[in-house]
């Protein structure tokens, strides 16, 4: 299942009761939707990853997120790094801020995206209790079958 991240209401509309959502968020605005969804429906979201995003824009929802949250930022993305540090200070859930050294905002530098994807896979594997590889996390995260 690919989670439609631009609209946080997807988590309320899901008909798959008991199918925990995994929310990978690789672009700037989607961490906002993912974190708000995690705050509104903590029983449905088991882990959140933000890669190069702006989780600070989730504002007061940050304090209500229960799902373990990983923030990944490029080391040369100074403005976004500072905003992620501020967001991390507001999170009350288990969380980590990882910096990919030598990477800019889009992780276009050689090996940067691979390093970020490996961090994502490790985070999901640890917090979901199942093994994820970096290619899975870059495409979409599976949830339980709705059949």
């Amino acid at each position: 299942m690919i989670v439609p991240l631009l609209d946080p209401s997807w988590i309320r509309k899901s008909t798959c009761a008991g199918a925990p959502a995994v929310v990978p968020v690789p672009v700037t605005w989607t961490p906002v939707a993912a974190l708000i969804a995690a705050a509104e429906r903590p029983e449905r979201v088991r882990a959140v990853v933000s890669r190069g995003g702006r989780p600070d824009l989730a504002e007061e929802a940050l304090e209500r997120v229960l799902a373990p949250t990983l923030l990944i930022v490029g080391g040369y993305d100074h403005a976004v790094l500072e905003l992620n540090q501020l967001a991390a200070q507001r999170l009350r859930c288990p969380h980590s801020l990882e910096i990919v050294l030598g990477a800019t905002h889009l992780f276009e530098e050689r090996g940067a995206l691979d390093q970020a994807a490996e961090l994502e896979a490790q985070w999901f594997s640890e917090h979901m209790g199942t093994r994820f590889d970096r290619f899975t996390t870059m495409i979409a995260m599976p949830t339980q079958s709705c059949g």
Side-chain angles (χ1 to χ4, degrees):
M1 173 178 157
I2 297 175
V3 179
L5 294 172
L6 296 177
D7 176 8
S9 68
W10 67 267
I11 201 159
R12 289 188 300 270
K13 296 175 186 172
S14 175
T15 59
C16 303
V22 178
V23 183
V25 287
V27 295
T28 299
W29 284 94
T30 51
V32 178
L35 289 163
I36 291 171
E40 288 182 4
R41 295 293 300 270
E43 74 281 3
R44 296 300 309 270
V45 180
R46 292 177 51 196
V48 178
V49 171
S50 168
R51 182 190 335 128
R54 291 280 313 274
D56 59 298
L57 296 174
E59 299 175 347
E60 71 277 351
L62 291 169
E63 287 97 8
R64 295 182 289 123
V65 174
L66 300 179
T69 300
L70 174 62
L71 309 175
I72 304 172
V73 183
Y76 289 144
D77 195 0
H78 303 292
V80 173
L81 175 56
E82 184 176 330
L83 295 168
N84 273 256
Q85 290 168 330
L86 293 171
Q89 291 173 5
R90 295 183 70 180
L91 287 167
R92 303 288 180 251
C93 61
H95 64 277
S96 181
L97 173 62
E98 296 290 336
I99 300 168
V100 177
L101 299 176
T104 55
H105 185 66
L106 298 177
F107 298 86
E108 297 173 307
E109 296 74 21
R110 184 182 189 105
L113 190 57
D114 286 337
Q115 186 177 346
E118 187 60 38
L119 290 167
E120 293 171 17
Q122 290 171 1
W123 189 261
F124 284 128
S125 293
E126 179 180 341
H127 295 284
M128 297 295 294
T130 230
R131 168 92 173 95
F132 291 94
D133 63 43
R134 61 192 175 121
F135 300 107
T136 303
T137 62
M138 290 178 71
I139 298 168
M141 301 306 307
T143 62
Q144 295 175 0
S145 172
C146 298

